[in-house]
Amino acid sequence: MIDPMIKSAWVALGGDRELLARLVCVERPGAMAARLPVQRLARACVGACALAAAELGALRAGLGTVPRAVVDDGAVATAFHSERVLRIDGRAPVNFAPLSRWWRASYGWVRTHANYPHHRLRLLDALGLPDGATPEDVERLLLDRSALEIEETVYAAGGLAVALRTPGQWAAHPQAAEVAKRPLVERAPIGAASGRELPPLERASAPLLPAAGLRVLDLTRVLAGPVATRTLALLGADVLRVDGPERPELADQHADTGFGKRSATLELGADKQVLGELLASADVVVTGYRPGALDRFGLSAEALAERYPGLVVAEISAWGAYGPWAERRGFDSLVQVATGIAATEGSTMEPGALPAQALDHGSGYLMAAGILRALAERSRDGQGRLVRLALARTAHWLTDDAGRDPRPGGQKYEGPDAWLAERDGPLGRLRYARPPVSFTGGPTDWAAPPVPLGSSPATWS
């Protein structure tokens, strides 16, 4: 029996329901224990991605049957903790800065996010604190303000803080109403049809790489967008990650999500010619900034579709490109706080959290699946496609749309060791989570380890 969450994910991607019979699930109870069905969500997102990869691979190689896709809870749970299980020369990564945490307010709880230096400075400035302020300084100040007051004050200053809401409080919020109206994966044709075709793959090629020969411009930030493009790199795409030189990605996050990619720095406003040359021969553009943030560079979906017919554009944001919070910044941890997940997973004493940043990882695999399916659809009509996701909509799927939970079965989860690998690379000796996207004849690891941030030329291979 197919889990309803897998079915709903595949239907949201526009997939043929009959292909669900090509997906095999290896269930391992307890791999991601939580009150909400997060393990089922993770399995559904990765399973749908594996099926989309197998479908595109079969299409390009002219296979008569779509290869069997396999989703193993052990591989999925390990991959959903990739930023936590990563080791760089034996060192554990830094995932949260000292000011990215929960705070008790005079009324309620609030969570802040200050991993990036500019977000940290905006948080302190909003609170009237100097650059050298300590967590103790922040704690004393916040005890005199309500959580909602802190949220509005910090967001007005361009920082990130979200007040804890119960599921009922979130359901009554205008942003929640807008989120609930949208499909899990927004998909639409964009621009004029073009003569773009997917080059065929050799049937006997090993491994079968569904995205081989395709160029993906990666304009994303931690974590969902980079997970999507990391997956496309696994499947053979030439992925070029581009960051601005003034605000590069955090080094440890780059190491986790940089497998299979090249990394360049580019000033989008100044290097217009270079950007234009990259876009002119790209097959896919993936953006992961808040809605509208890249529009001034001509990178809105509408502008891209007009200039580059046949282009697949994928966008991901925290709250969605609609509603009163459309322009707000956000991260997985903050979306969990606003949407009632932290309240559900916590206790009467303090808030909780999902066992992994599952909104990020899940949305990332769904986005990769959406891109793969868009490429398959484009092969039939030459039409460009828009694929759009929001962490808040993924959260709504988890909390409201999960459906009936099938009877659990399978083998007990014994920990991540069986799904970890090690290799040397430019960043050192890496221990990392192996890719969970699996299908018969497909790749089992990335072709290359991550490279140093900004070490690649801003050109296609």
Side-chain angles (χ1 to χ4, degrees), residues 216-291:
V216 178
L217 187 60
D218 180 356
L219 302 172
T220 66
R221 301 287 267 181
V222 57
L223 183 60
V227 166
T229 50
R230 182 180 68 184
T231 303
L232 297 176
L234 169 75
L235 299 173
D238 178 10
V239 179
L240 180 64
R241 166 69 184 261
V242 172
D243 288 273
E246 75 287 355
R247 289 178 181 172
E249 183 60 280
L250 300 172
D252 288 350
Q253 298 287 358
H254 169 73
D256 173 45
T257 59
F259 283 87
K261 307 179 189 180
R262 293 178 301 115
S263 170
T265 56
L266 195 67
E267 181 57 62
L268 298 182
D271 299 325
K272 295 181 180 179
Q273 181 177 345
V274 176
L275 177 62
E277 291 171 354
L278 291 172
L279 291 169
S281 54
D283 294 280
V284 180
V285 174
V286 187
T287 65
Y289 292 76
R290 62 191 173 90

Side-chain angles (χ1 to χ4, degrees), residues 114-206:
N115 283 2
Y116 290 100
H118 58 290
H119 289 159
R120 178 181 178 277
L121 289 175
R122 289 172 185 172
L123 170 65
L124 294 175
D125 184 62
L127 300 177
L129 293 171
D131 185 11
T134 66
E136 292 73 24
D137 296 329
V138 175
E139 187 172 39
R140 284 191 295 269
L141 188 149
L142 295 187
L143 282 171
D144 292 330
R145 304 186 186 185
S146 73
L148 287 174
E149 178 190 356
I150 296 164
E151 175 183 281
E152 292 304 319
T153 300
V154 173
Y155 263 105
L160 294 108
V162 172
L164 177 70
R165 289 172 172 82
T166 65
Q169 289 169 331
W170 175 244
H173 195 281
Q175 187 63 29
E178 290 295 325
V179 167
K181 294 177 185 177
R182 266 67 181 188
L184 175 61
V185 182
E186 295 184 71
R187 305 163 52 253
I190 54 172
S194 73
R196 291 185 186 232
E197 295 183 358
L198 294 174
L201 297 176
E202 293 291 335
R203 289 192 181 198
S205 62

